[in-house]
Amino acid sequence: MYICVMGNQKLFKGSLQTIILKLLAQNDKMYGYEITQKVKELTKGELKITEGALYPALHKLEADGLLDVEVAKIGNRLRKYYKLTEHGTKETANKLAEMQEFLKTMQHLVNPKFSLE
Amino acid sequence: MESKYQITAKQLAFLDRFLKKYNFGSEDDKIELKDHIISDFETNGNGNLSQYLSEELGFINKFIGSKLQVIHKTYRRKTIDEAIGFFTSIKKLPITVAVFLTIYFLTINLNGKTLIILFYVSVLSFFTYSQFFLNIKKKDRKKLDRIEYLGQEMWLPYIMLVFPLHIATTTDFDFINSVFFSVYWFVAIAYSFAAIRVMKKEKKIIYNKYKHLLN
């Protein structure tokens, strides 16, 4: 399963990378499990990112040079943190702008009288 | 994040043995996988690690598989982009044209046997360099998938070595179109060169990014 949502999961497909980038832009650095929990918390359980979807997305973003990694010793184990690179910060702004544009267009289509503009 | 359970030293040792026994990925993978398993187990588990691991086996396998897929795809895309750059970059284009013309000149002027030998020497030189002279330590390959799969894109030139061998043993070389052979030789060399350039660039990035793991 890609992302598990209480509503229609198809609507959230394709937005996973944007969600991850946005969270990292707000939180400086985060580790995988923390991202899944943060999304759950922010959406009050409406959206749950499965680990099977999260890690491939993180690895892809890292391979594309959008994320940097940092390893720190936490208690009895090592933890891999992800943070945005300079390129990743720019790409986050682009992806968020794209998302806003998409939402605006959808708003025009779905509810023309109460569009965001 | 609230933990309802704290993993014990005994369970931690069991997890280490489990990941080692089933050889789940490189050291880098194990760091991330182990941290995820412990975090989730401490938050949602019922205290039985063995049962938890059996339930999560699907995810663990997928974790490694999908990561390797991402690495392969990324190297392939970067190598293709690098090769395309030989034609689209104003700086590189004259060299690209000069190399192709040299290959074409050799193809129309040399006899079949010499040509096949030259083809093998040139492509194998790139291949040997990529596999043995990039100074990548054997122990580093085990630590990081990104290093282990760094030379994978040399598969195409390596496969391309088979066809001329087939021609040399079964067909008279005069039957082979010289333009076709020039393009074939050129693609093998260009792709090898692109793969080596990507390997060098990636090696530099990896050793800088993962110095915590490799030093």
Side-chain angles (χ1 to χ4, degrees), chain B residues 12-70:
Chain B
L12 209 56
F14 176 77
L15 179 60
D16 278 333
R17 281 199 307 274
F18 175 82
L19 292 175
K20 201 174 175 184
K21 186 180 170 188
Y22 291 99
N23 200 21
F24 286 122
S26 61
E27 279 183 44
D28 176 51
D29 294 328
K30 285 191 185 97
I31 289 175
E32 191 162 44
L33 202 51
K34 196 173 152 185
D35 182 45
H36 179 92
I37 289 169
I38 297 171
S39 300
D40 195 38
F41 176 68
E42 288 184 340
T43 315
N44 302 314
N46 62 1
N48 187 339
L49 184 65
S50 179
Q51 185 194 342
Y52 174 86
L53 288 174
S54 329
E55 285 164 7
E56 292 295 315
L57 210 55
F59 155 65
I60 295 169
N61 279 318
K62 200 181 163 192
F63 178 94
I64 307 298
S66 68
K67 190 176 179 191
L68 295 183
Q69 218 177 352
V70 166

Side-chain angles (χ1 to χ4, degrees), chain A residues 55-103:
Chain A
Y55 288 103
L58 281 171
H59 297 152
K60 180 158 189 345
L61 288 168
E62 189 202 340
D64 289 343
L66 303 184
L67 301 184
D68 219 339
V69 291
E70 195 180 294
V71 173
K73 193 161 169 52
I74 307 290
N76 51 13
R77 60 188 185 266
L78 292 171
R79 178 165 283 166
K80 190 172 168 184
Y81 283 98
Y82 291 92
K83 57 183 183 179
L84 290 177
T85 58
E86 208 175 301
H87 177 42
T89 309
K90 284 180 198 159
E91 196 56 31
T92 306
N94 292 340
K95 283 202 180 274
L96 286 172
E98 269 174 31
M99 179 68 86
Q100 293 277 11
E101 201 55 43
F102 171 73
L103 290 173

Side-chain angles (χ1 to χ4, degrees), chain A residues 45-56:
Chain A
E46 269 295 302
L47 178 63
K48 286 177 197 164
I49 299 179
T50 61
E51 55 268 33
L54 176 76
Y55 288 103

